[in-house]
């Protein structure tokens, strides 16, 4: 049976919760490196929607020159929709068992540099992918505002079935056997 004091307490408008004496677990937005780590984790989990939500609506996304997903004019993709349509979607279709092994993370305020190796298997070729990378991330608070990729594009193109012989169409110099004579 409730006492009158209990009823008053039960019907009162709840106020803010008292602060916990325990330390709060850091949230991704508390630390730019945690935002970047959450992006990689989302990609490996094949959760493109979660990854896209970490991008600023105006994100500038630069793929490496010669990348199978880069723009021919070298300009960045703008916004999460373009990144999903031209990079993340095609990459997920081209690479099975994607792993982004992060070897080192360098933190410079809101700029994060991640050194690592992309591993997986080309869906069309069955070829193992092993491509070292450097990713440069610039954040505004909780959102990625710019991404720049540097990766072994020869290894990546070979694994996904887009060899270097296709590079001249992209305006990238390629030495062929006839050029070498």
């Amino acid at each position: 049976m409730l006492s009158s004091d209990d009823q008053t307490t039960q019907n009162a408008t709840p106020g803010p919760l008292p602060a916990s004496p325990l330390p709060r677990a850091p949230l991704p937005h508390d630390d730019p490196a945690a935002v970047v780590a959450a992006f990689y984790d989302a990609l490996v989990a094949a959760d493109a929607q979660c990854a896209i939500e970490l991008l600023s609506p105006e994100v500038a996304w630069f793929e490496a020159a010669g990348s199978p997903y880069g723009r021919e004019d070298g300009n960045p993709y703008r916004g999460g929709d373009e990144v999903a349509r031209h990079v993340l979607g095609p990459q997920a279709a081209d690479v099975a068992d994607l792993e982004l092994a992060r070897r080192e993370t360098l933190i410079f305020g809101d700029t994060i540099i991640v050194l690592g190796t992309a591993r997986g298997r080309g869906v069309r070729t069955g070829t193992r992918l092993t491509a070292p990378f450097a990713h440069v991330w610039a954040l505004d608070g909780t959102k990625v505002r710019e991404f720049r990729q540097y990766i072994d594009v020869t290894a990546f193109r070979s694994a996904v079935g887009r060899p270097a012989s296709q590079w001249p169409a992209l305006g990238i110099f390629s030495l062929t056997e006839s050029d070498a004579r």
Side-chain angles (χ1 to χ4, degrees):
M1 177 167 200
L2 292 175
S3 70
S4 60
D5 287 340
D6 290 337
Q7 286 180 348
T8 304
T9 304
Q10 195 172 30
N11 293 331
T13 304
L17 294 174
S20 171
L22 301 174
R24 179 175 61 82
L27 299 173
H29 63 269
D30 291 338
D31 174 12
V35 173
V36 171
F39 188 92
Y40 286 115
D41 293 345
L43 287 186
V44 171
D47 189 349
Q49 184 60 41
C50 179
I52 294 301
E53 288 172 4
L54 296 169
L55 303 179
S56 161
E58 300 84 29
V59 67
W61 187 279
F62 293 87
E63 284 290 296
S67 163
Y69 315 112
R71 292 177 65 146
E72 290 183 29
D73 60 10
N75 288 321
Y77 294 108
R78 297 278 181 188
D81 289 342
E82 280 196 3
V83 172
R85 184 173 45 253
H86 298 290
V87 179
L88 302 183
Q91 183 177 352
D94 286 349
V95 180
D97 307 320
L98 178 64
E99 175 191 351
L100 298 168
R102 293 163 273 168
R103 185 183 73 242
E104 191 170 359
T105 299
L106 308 169
I107 303 168
F108 303 95
D110 285 345
T111 300
I112 310 297
I113 300 172
V114 177
L115 305 175
T117 304
R119 292 186 179 92
R121 181 182 46 78
V123 171
R124 283 186 222 111
T125 66
T127 302
R128 294 296 313 162
L129 166 67
T130 302
F133 68 77
H135 293 160
V136 181
W137 302 82
L139 285 86
D140 277 335
T142 64
K143 299 290 183 179
V144 174
R145 71 174 158 77
E146 185 174 293
F147 170 84
R148 290 184 182 267
Q149 176 196 56
Y150 304 90
I151 193 165
D152 180 345
V153 293
T154 301
F156 207 96
R157 283 182 160 279
S158 294
V160 300
R162 299 180 191 185
S165 62
Q166 296 177 357
W167 288 9
L170 298 173
I172 297 167
F173 177 76
S174 176
L175 185 65
T176 63
E177 278 187 45
S178 61
D179 294 330
R181 290 183 215 164

